[in-house]
Amino acid sequence: MATTTFGKGCHLHLIDGSAFIFRAFHALPPLTRKSDGLPIGAVAGFCNMIFKMVEDNSGPDAPTHVAVIFDKGSHTFRNEMYDLYKANREEMPEDLRPQIPLTRAATEAFNIACKELAGYEADDIIATLSCQARAAGGRVTIISSDKDLMQLVGDGVEMFDAMKNKRIDRDGVFEKFGVYPDRVVDVQALAGDAVDNVPGAPGIGIKTAALLINEFGSLEELLDRAGEIKQPKRREVLTEKRQQIELSKKLVQLDCETPLDFTLDDLEVREPDAEVLMAFLAEMEFRTLTRRVAEKFGLDTPAISENPVETTGDAPAAPDAPGFDKAVYTCIRDTAALETWIARIRERGYVAVDTETTSLDEMKAELAGISLCVDAGEACYIPVGHRDGAKGDLFGSDDLAEGQLSLDVVLTLLKPVLEDDSILKIGQNMKYDAKIFARHGIAVAPIDDTMLMSYALHGGLHNHGMDLLSETYLNHVPIPIKPLLGSGKSAITFDRVNIDDATGYAAEDADITLRLWQVFKPRLHGARVTTVYETLERPLVPVLARMEMSGIKVDRDTLSRMSNAFAQKMAGLESELYELAGRSFNVNSPAQVGEILFDQMSLEGGKKTKTGQWSTPADVLEDLATLHDFPARVLDYRQLQKLKSTYTDALQDHINAETGRVHTSYAIAGANTGRLASTDPNLQNIPVRTEEGRRIREAFVAEPGKVLVSLDYSQIELRILAHTADIPELKQAFADGIDIHALTASEMFNVPLAEMTPEIRRRAKAINFGVIYGISGFGLARNLRIPRAEAQGFIDRYFERFPGIRTYMDATIAFAKEHGHVQTLFGRRIHTPEINASGPQAGFARRAAINAPIQGTAADVIRRAMVRMESAIEGLPATMLLQVHDELLFEVSEEAVDDTIARAKSVMEGAAAPAVHLAVPLVVDAGKGANWAEAH
DNA sequence: CTAGAGCGCTCG
DNA sequence: GTACGAGCGCTCTAGC
């Protein structure tokens, strides 16, 4: 083809490559290459789009010049102007990352120019080329739907949305922005952009911005004459935020003078080399496209062994995986063998790791050994802390039968591998192993966690322990630990297990972990949970590990004194109860309490539990307490018993001898909804509702010179409900900062807000919570202690007043029935296997399905806040210690309290963006104090 | 003697 | 038969 000079009559097509594949990745079904599971959905979408253009563009309107433009790197000249530019941007999904070089390769295979420039966005290159083409008298079509490019439209420049197959001209831009292209930047400067983190003028959206620009003619005119604006808020924001608005304009204004090292003439359309193109398409295993391309060029279709298959989340396990064989596992007792393994790991780029220790408490556990696996079926165990069973002496390298390398030697060799950025460490519940290694000065990264992959894939279906996963997904029953350790008093710790047995057990764990990873990893994309796994599960591992290792200081003396006081009171109550009953009995036994109440005293209203004994829960005893002292005293006793046994006594046993602090453990995959669960001890249920219970929080203290700072989301679940079910009245109330329960009461009972009584508000509050739980007449009646018919009346009125709630509930259940799962706003899936059951099960399943998206979205929000928190408070003398579902607790040096609160609050309130745009504000309240009671 | 179910209570 | 989601201490019993 003869080289021509770009000029009049020429038509330039500019394809926004980065934006296209990002959109294609999310919009198209997830496709993986059959032969190796490589995700290629976005590449396929891209190739189809390019091919379609090649086919369509043989007419008179065909481009004479064409280029695909990509972003290069994330740092651009805009970050020099404003360091927060695109700071909200999500990390690229891992399944998309490998597709980017493939898309460049595809562009080259089609023999289309592929351009990018460090320090500039694709948009700037597109702007520059557009300007040059216009200056030369040619026409331009920008293949993109990015609104940031709309400022270029007009006068011979058009846009084309390839996904929607829609042209965008001057009028199209006007539709979107309310102004013509030459004023688009002015509108964008005012409206800002949450996704790119362009600040704009707070409170002004696109519509208002367009109104103002149309009235004043330009942004500069508007800012100069802002004083003339009637609305005080607008006037104020335009005056006070002038600098911010001007900066925003610079950020959205595209650069038409990007220093390019090529000219328009270099972009002239070239015929693809058919063989190169066919080879590429065949390599991608695009069967249909390969055939169509072959037809177009009149070539034979090359044989492609496998069809690309859309994975639905049920991709088969590797069919040719070797069986499990203990005999193949090796025990590593010398450095040469260890170095061979390390070389193998480096060559492979990933390794499954498991640690064996002397305790389930990571803060006390000593390392007994480490197992590794890089190929299914072949694993090793490196003993480092095994001891003689009788004497307890550590085996050395010269113990012939039981020799082992020293811990120091092994960790020195493994540390560079475990910390190597280019080697993926795979574990089952990696938080445990990461904490063990962290205590030895090793920061394990990067990681994958098979437990968390399973949680993202199968949440709600089953638990995610290794034994169950192995049986379910590998069809293999792992070696049980019981026979090795024994149980009860005679149980031994893993360091006393003989090394041969330990090798068989431990190496298998690494083997299983690797195989689970091989099964789960390619399924994430098909099940559309890659982003959930990568942004809500995996990044929490190091964050929680650090929180757990920090622990919280608990004052033993305070607890001890309270325990003594409780014991005294309980002793008094005990004798009083014996007196009232006329005999001694075990107050801790509900069965015996029931006997005395209902058999001996013949009080009315008793019900039996399913095991046939009298039921004596607190609400029943509360009713009986009006008739008799005995049930009243039992209630008093039970409260003290609970506080003493679970809190003031048990917590003391959890104070770590070395740190003097209590270190809880968070289960990331514990709760079905996405919530964390706290165990050993549970620090998410420390009393707060009663005065006496709340005093236990006085024992949770800050170090001298520091304070505890608590930040909690206000009404987060109701806010999410208002957004999700799209209830205008509730959204408005949250926007206006109105008391939501009072508002509900006012709407339901026709009582003006000014005349609200606590009792009416209390009822509305119970209904609001009931809605979140999948309300029933029975449940509300029991909660409010009113007749069931009356409760049902309330519910009916509520649905009448807020019909959107009913719509949401019905739609959620219908979704669950159709898909077998519900999901949160962030895409977390919660499976609902019982949703089609009948009988009482059906009710449970329906209520759980209604609740899960709300509770789960709230859980996702705080997870995101936690993941972002560490960098947000970096440099401040502040440590995040605890999470209690909607609360984060920090320990902060006194002088940094205000800064910490400001930064943490900002992270928490903005945690939904940019992945989710909530139509209600998130509000966070803060408190501080010397102890948790004061801070909360 | 040990493990596990059942009950009841704590939290969001 | 019923509010959603969790964990833990105590009693009691089945089974070694």
Side-chain angles (χ1 to χ4, degrees), chain A residues 47-102:
Chain A
C47 290
N48 277 312
M49 184 268 291
I50 295 286
F51 182 66
K52 193 160 179 299
M53 288 185 38
V54 170
E55 279 197 312
D56 288 355
N57 287 329
S58 46
D61 202 32
T64 55
H65 296 69
V66 60
V68 180
I69 316 295
F70 288 98
D71 288 324
K72 184 171 189 180
S74 56
H75 192 91
T76 70
F77 70 91
R78 288 185 178 80
N79 295 104
E80 307 292 329
M81 297 196 271
Y82 182 53
D83 57 359
L84 291 177
Y85 181 67
K86 294 205 171 176
N88 284 346
R89 180 178 266 197
E90 287 297 295
E91 266 220 25
M92 182 177 297
E94 237 173 60
D95 281 0
L96 178 55
R97 199 184 298 275
Q99 301 195 60
I100 288 166
L102 290 176

Side-chain angles (χ1 to χ4, degrees), chain A residues 749-769:
Chain A
F749 302 111
N750 296 317
V751 180
L753 280 177
E755 296 167 26
M756 189 53 54
T757 70
E759 178 53 25
I760 300 177
R761 183 180 178 280
R762 188 181 76 89
R763 295 188 165 197
K765 182 175 174 180
I767 297 167
N768 275 334
F769 280 109

